[in-house]
């Protein structure tokens, strides 16, 4: 399972001071972890009035799983499940699941950069899925489950490349990162029943058996970064 390391605390905490998964894969197991006590600061937990919200689009396996993780972070206003990176207009879930449309299952995160930055979100992203498996997360195989960052502009692209470089240098993962970094094209919101899927279907078999343990682990490991209304372990 994932662990917090110095890279995560460095990006997630220092920047805060200056500004105050059909299926889901298992969270991967980062190969290294370390803790720098000098970086042990807390994130600003209040949205700054008047601040401009931004968006981030990530793909990391089934969107049911990563959606519910990101929506509980401080500074995240909304997380929406959707499709991006393909060639078919207005794709359906059934079409995307065939792997023939080119789309990935993605989440679109609306966030307050005064509370949580794009780089911080990227760092979380690299801790909660395995970025070293090509077109696959656990038992979910196909291009629709690929690891990808769809950047909106050159600033986001630079941030993605920087975080990948940092994660690689930290040897967080034993194998090379294969995450796709590509310009965001058309984004399509997924069907309504996919939105907030885990919270709306906690007793569904896959949710209770596969996703619930990941959420519990996430809450334990990232509890200082969760919204105040989240029940922490």
């Amino acid at each position: 399972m994932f662990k917090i390391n110095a890279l995560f605390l460095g990006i997630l905490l220092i920047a805060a001071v200056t500004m105050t998964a059909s299926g889901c894969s298992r969270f991967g197991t980062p190969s290294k972890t370390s803790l720098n006590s000098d970086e042990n600061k807390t994130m600003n937990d209040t949205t700054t009035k008047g601040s401009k919200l931004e968006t981030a689009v990530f793909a990391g396996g089934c969107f049911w799983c990563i959606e519910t993780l990101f929506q509980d972070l401080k500074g995240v206003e909304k997380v929406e499940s959707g499709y991006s990176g393909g060639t078919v207009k207005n794709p359906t879930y059934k079409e995307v699941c065939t792997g023939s449309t080119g789309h990935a299952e993605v989440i679109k995160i609306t966030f307050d950069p005064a509370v949580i930055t794009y780089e911080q979100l990227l760092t979380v992203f690299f801790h909660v899925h395995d970025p070293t498996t090509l077109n696959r997360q656990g038992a979910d195989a196909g291009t629709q489950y690929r690891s990808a960052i769809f950047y909106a502009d050159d600033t986001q692209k630079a941030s993605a490349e920087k975080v990948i470089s940092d994660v690689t240098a930290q040897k967080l993962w034993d194998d090379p990162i294969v995450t796709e970094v590509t310009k965001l094209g058309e984004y399509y919101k997924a069907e309504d029943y996919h939105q907030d899927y885990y919270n709306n279907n906690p007793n569904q078999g896959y949710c209770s058996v596969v996703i619930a343990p990941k959420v519990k682990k996430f809450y334990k490991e990232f509890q200082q970064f969760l919204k105040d209304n989240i029940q922490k372990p």
Side-chain angles (χ1 to χ4, degrees):
M1 303 293 286
F2 62 83
K3 300 176 183 177
I4 298 177
N5 69 352
L7 168 65
F8 175 70
L9 289 175
I11 294 177
L12 210 61
L13 303 176
I14 290 178
V17 172
T18 61
M19 308 186 333
T20 122
S22 75
C24 259
S25 69
R26 296 184 177 182
F27 289 149
T29 304
S31 60
K32 305 290 182 182
T33 183
S34 61
L35 177 64
N36 185 339
S37 60
D38 292 337
E39 297 168 349
N40 188 21
K41 311 234 180 344
T42 58
M43 182 184 294
N44 179 9
D45 52 6
T46 304
T47 299
T48 304
K49 293 182 178 180
S51 61
K52 183 178 179 181
L53 299 180
E54 298 179 5
T55 60
V57 178
F58 303 148
C62 176
F63 44 28
W64 294 350
C65 187
I66 57 175
E67 175 196 60
T68 195
L69 302 179
F70 278 90
Q71 66 189 186
D72 290 337
L73 293 172
K74 295 175 183 178
V76 171
E77 298 291 309
K78 179 182 179 181
V79 182
E80 182 178 277
S81 290
Y83 314 113
S84 195
T87 58
V88 175
K89 292 184 179 297
N90 300 308
T92 65
Y93 180 63
K94 184 177 181 179
E95 290 172 330
V96 172
C97 284
T98 66
S100 63
T101 70
H103 292 90
E105 292 190 11
V106 303
I107 56 170
K108 182 172 74 172
I109 306 165
T110 301
F111 65 100
D112 183 351
V115 180
I116 187 168
T117 68
Y118 185 70
E119 285 194 11
Q120 292 169 340
L121 291 172
L122 283 167
T123 305
V124 173
F125 172 69
F126 280 110
H127 279 75
V128 300
H129 86 297
D130 187 345
T132 70
T133 53
L134 183 64
N135 298 330
R136 187 182 193 94
Q137 284 295 303
D140 295 328
T143 56
Q144 67 271 32
Y145 299 117
R146 65 190 182 270
S147 174
I149 299 165
F150 295 97
Y151 61 87
D153 52 36
D154 288 342
T155 299
Q156 287 192 351
K157 179 183 180 182
S159 293
E161 292 172 343
K162 177 182 182 299
V163 173
I164 290 173
S165 177
D166 290 344
V167 168
T168 300
Q170 287 283 328
K171 300 186 183 301
L172 181 64
W173 297 93
D174 288 327
D175 297 320
I177 290 173
V178 297
T179 302
E180 169 189 334
V181 178
T182 190
K183 178 74 173 178
L184 178 65
E186 292 291 335
Y187 163 83
Y188 300 95
K189 181 181 178 181
E191 294 84 347
D192 288 344
Y193 70 90
H194 287 300
Q195 308 305 325
D196 201 18
Y197 190 88
Y198 172 75
N199 289 323
N200 288 329
N201 303 275
N203 297 319
Q204 190 259 14
Y206 199 88
C207 290
S208 60
V209 174
V210 179
I211 302 179
K214 297 173 176 50
V215 173
K216 183 177 181 179
K217 177 72 173 180
F218 181 81
Y219 282 5
K220 181 178 180 180
E221 297 289 348
F222 290 78
Q223 59 182 294
Q224 66 268 48
F225 308 116
L226 299 177
K227 294 174 180 174
D228 290 338
N229 64 340
I230 301 299
Q231 186 174 359
K232 304 173 178 63

